[in-house]
Amino acid sequence: MKKVIGSTIFLISLMLPIILIGCAPRIQKKPIDLVWPLPPDAPRLKYVGMVRSTLDVAKKRGFTETLFGTEQVDALKKPYGVAVDSAGRIYVTDIGRVMIFDLKKHDYGYIGDSPGTGKLGMAIGIAVTRDKRVFVSDISADRVFVYSTEGRFITAIGHKGEFLSPSGVAVDENNRFLYVVDSKKHRVSVYSLDSYKLLRTIGSRGLGEDGKFNFPTNAAVDSKGNLYVVDTGNFRVQIFDKDGNFVSSIGKLGDSPGSFARPKGIGIDSDDNIYVVDAAFQNVQIFNSDGQLLLYFGSAGWGPGHFILPAGLTVDSGDKVYVVDQWPGNVQIFQYMSKEYRERQALEKAPREKGTGGPGKKR
């Protein structure tokens, strides 16, 4: 009997890594032709890929290395916020840390995961500046932590009682503002991006009034310096100018396109189109700068183009759209096909003449 038990344990220990490898998520190998809207309409958005764990970015290793445990796999647990730096590195807030995915260098890293000063508890909002600073809100500490992109702790913003539930973080680098959305204080705190001094606050508790909030969650800034705040409990997005004055709002409570049920993440592309995640609808709605609905994408389910519990969203300088799905824990990447993007793609696909022999001819 002991021999049988021993053999069984040995077989289980041998097969377990193989089972785990089979279950571990990996990035899609074959391109997926998934676009919105569907043909015959001209596509405006396409699915690019997904990151879920270190396997999606780490350099490929041999079967033997993986089998005997030299390859460590670390997956997102319950992500929320996302930001992208000028080098294209993806920063994702997670429980007790920020995970960094570098798709270009096939590498990954962490911020705020080490014990001591700057250790994160429940990281939510995140923003990255051009001068390589990372701002992370932590609702368990009620503070906003500042790091370098290499993970070095710089400082913390917020004394005791200054925040009740800091969530979304946004930066306006042209006007030098740092915006911190406080869900439970129902307002947005505006700080100097240079000195971290509190300059003013925007809003207070209110049900439907212009300029007032009901549990706001996230924020984004457009090219003109306008601030967009997701007023989740009022089922809308409120827009303010750089001085904090109310401009207009987008959306209302409802179950039809253009309405909201549980709006969360927000981002803005190079054409100032506004992307808003709705966790209840399990999709993303896109509005133009006038607040008109242009398109929506995503639906309930698993896999590319589907969401279970979508949350944070950002748009990078190349118009890639990153959407965080808290469960099962991934970041899906889409490409907004702007006019500039389509022109760039056309140039790359155009045949190049070689000498005077015409396209593709050898002399």
Side-chain angles (χ1 to χ4, degrees), residues 77 92 145 155 176 185 278-279 287:
K77 299 178 179 69
V92 187
F145 293 101
T155 190
R176 311 308 296 167
K185 283 199 172 183
D278 197 302
F287 302 83

Side-chain angles (χ1 to χ4, degrees), residues 29-189:
K29 292 182 179 180
K30 294 181 179 180
I32 297 175
D33 188 16
L34 191 58
V35 298
W36 295 265
L38 295 174
D41 293 327
R44 302 301 302 275
L45 191 86
K46 69 176 182 179
Y47 173 81
V48 174
M50 183 187 300
V51 289
R52 294 155 289 190
S53 74
T54 54
L55 283 177
D56 293 328
V57 294
K59 293 178 180 178
K60 302 298 181 182
R61 298 187 181 184
F63 174 79
T64 304
E65 288 181 291
T66 304
L67 178 63
F68 291 101
T70 57
E71 183 178 17
Q72 299 296 318
V73 180
D74 192 3
L76 291 167
K77 299 178 179 69
K78 192 176 182 181
Y80 184 94
V82 60
V84 181
D85 67 17
S86 57
R89 299 197 304 169
I90 306 167
Y91 299 72
V92 187
T93 58
D94 201 5
I95 298 174
R97 63 190 180 173
V98 172
M99 286 193 73
I100 307 171
F101 299 95
D102 192 330
L103 300 180
K104 294 178 182 177
K105 294 184 178 180
H106 302 286
D107 201 3
Y108 58 89
Y110 304 90
I111 287 177
D113 62 321
S114 301
T117 305
K119 174 70 175 74
L120 292 167
M122 187 63 69
I124 297 294
I126 187 165
V128 184
T129 58
R130 290 190 293 264
D131 61 6
K132 299 182 178 181
R133 284 178 293 166
V134 184
F135 296 85
V136 184
S137 63
D138 189 327
I139 59 173
S140 63
D142 287 334
R143 305 183 86 183
V144 174
F145 293 101
V146 188
Y147 308 87
S148 70
T149 52
E150 288 75 33
R152 177 177 60 85
F153 173 75
I154 297 174
T155 190
I157 300 172
H159 55 73
K160 186 176 181 180
E162 191 166 339
F163 298 120
L164 281 182
S165 183
S167 51
V169 180
V171 295
D172 180 349
E173 299 198 62
N174 293 329
N175 294 300
R176 311 308 296 167
F177 294 143
L178 165 69
Y179 295 104
V180 182
V181 179
D182 194 320
S183 293
K184 291 184 178 179
K185 283 199 172 183
H186 312 281
R187 71 185 190 188
V188 179
S189 297

Side-chain angles (χ1 to χ4, degrees), residues 172-225:
D172 180 349
E173 299 198 62
N174 293 329
N175 294 300
R176 311 308 296 167
F177 294 143
L178 165 69
Y179 295 104
V180 182
V181 179
D182 194 320
S183 293
K184 291 184 178 179
K185 283 199 172 183
H186 312 281
R187 71 185 190 188
V188 179
S189 297
V190 187
Y191 293 85
S192 164
L193 192 56
D194 303 307
S195 68
Y196 309 132
K197 178 183 177 181
L198 178 63
L199 303 176
R200 61 178 178 271
T201 60
I202 301 172
S204 60
R205 184 75 184 271
L207 299 177
E209 301 100 319
D210 292 344
K212 294 191 176 184
F213 301 111
N214 188 30
F215 296 102
T217 51
N218 297 286
V221 178
D222 70 13
S223 61
K224 301 178 184 68

Side-chain angles (χ1 to χ4, degrees), residues 80 217-218 230-232 234-237 250-267 274-287 293 296-300 306-313 323-326:
Y80 184 94
T217 51
N218 297 286
V230 181
D231 190 5
T232 301
N234 282 321
F235 314 101
R236 61 185 179 179
V237 173
I250 298 172
K252 61 181 180 179
L253 175 62
D255 57 5
S256 59
S259 302
F260 297 121
R262 201 188 309 160
K264 283 194 173 182
I266 187 169
I274 305 139
Y275 298 69
V276 185
V277 170
D278 197 302
F281 294 157
Q282 297 167 300
N283 69 7
V284 178
Q285 299 187 74
I286 308 175
F287 302 83
L293 180 67
Y296 62 88
F297 67 95
S299 58
H306 298 281
F307 306 109
I308 299 296
L309 192 60
L313 181 149
V323 184
V324 175
D325 199 353
Q326 291 188 281

